[in-house]
Amino acid sequence: MTIQDGKVVGLSYALKNSKGDLLDRADGSEPFVYMHGAQQIVPGLENALGGLKVGDKKDVVVAPENGYGEMNPQLKMTVKKDQFPGVAEIQSGMQFQAQAPDGGPGMVFTIAEVKDDDVLIDGNHPLAGETLHFAVEVLSIRDATDEEMSHGHVHGEGGHHH
Ligand code: ZN
């Protein structure tokens, strides 16, 4: 069996940036599980995994446009501290979810810098603009169940429990 659309895939991986810093990982004791073809992982990685089989190892380099996107300078904004009512202390690194105009969940942004009453916020994904270096090993492949296919996500171990 090889990885193709509609397969549930278990991976171990290490993700590094171009400087070699480890950003994220999943090891064999707690594999990362996803449904192939359901756009649950960045496109550059999903495309590279197609056709692999259990036991295959692959190093995948993903450019920002096939990863978390380019850095968008327009998503960096300066706001005033009093726009965060109820937050005792605003610190860089904190994340907030903005309210969308329709009242639904909006963009997640990160506090980039606090300077006196000014707060620099950044709505880019934390990995925007990064070239992603994945080292991946395929641990398992199975067919998605009909129920998983209709829900568009994985159930059970490593997936949704409802
Ligand atoms: Zn479900």
Side-chain angles (χ1 to χ4, degrees), residues 12 49 52-60 135-139:
S12 65
L49 294 175
L52 297 186
K53 55 190 189 310
V54 172
D56 282 351
K57 296 180 183 181
K58 193 167 185 179
D59 291 325
V60 183
V136 173
E137 181 173 1
V138 181
L139 302 177

Side-chain angles (χ1 to χ4, degrees), residues 4 10 13 15 20 24 52 54 57 60 76 85-88 95 98 100 102-103 108 125 134 140-142 144:
Q4 48 189 286
Y13 72 90
L15 168 60
D24 197 11
L52 297 186
V54 172
K57 296 180 183 181
V60 183
K76 293 184 177 191
V87 183
Q95 289 195 318
D102 63 3
V108 174
H125 188 280
F134 290 94
S140 63
I141 305 171
R142 65 169 171 82

Side-chain angles (χ1 to χ4, degrees), residues 106-120:
M107 185 178 80
V108 174
F109 61 88
T110 307
I111 307 292
E113 196 183 346
V114 182
K115 209 174 172 187
D116 300 324
D117 272 347
D118 290 333
V119 181
L120 177 64

Side-chain angles (χ1 to χ4, degrees), residues 147 151 153 155 160 162:
E147 190 183 48
H151 287 201
H153 57 228
H155 291 167
H160 282 243
H162 356 218

Side-chain angles (χ1 to χ4, degrees), residues 33-114:
V33 180
Y34 79 100
M35 188 188 294
H36 196 78
Q39 281 126 41
Q40 292 170 350
I41 60 176
V42 295
L45 180 60
E46 188 162 60
N47 292 340
L49 294 175
L52 297 186
K53 55 190 189 310
V54 172
D56 282 351
K57 296 180 183 181
K58 193 167 185 179
D59 291 325
V60 183
V61 179
V62 178
E65 63 264 31
N66 294 317
Y68 292 101
E70 299 287 356
M71 184 68 74
N72 180 354
Q74 292 184 329
L75 294 178
K76 293 184 177 191
M77 290 165 279
T78 301
V79 299
K80 292 294 178 193
K81 242 183 193 170
D82 60 15
Q83 292 187 254
F84 297 87
V87 183
E89 196 173 354
I90 300 167
Q91 291 176 325
S92 61
M94 291 172 105
Q95 289 195 318
F96 291 89
Q97 188 163 30
Q99 190 114 28
D102 63 3
M107 185 178 80
V108 174
F109 61 88
T110 307
I111 307 292
E113 196 183 346
V114 182

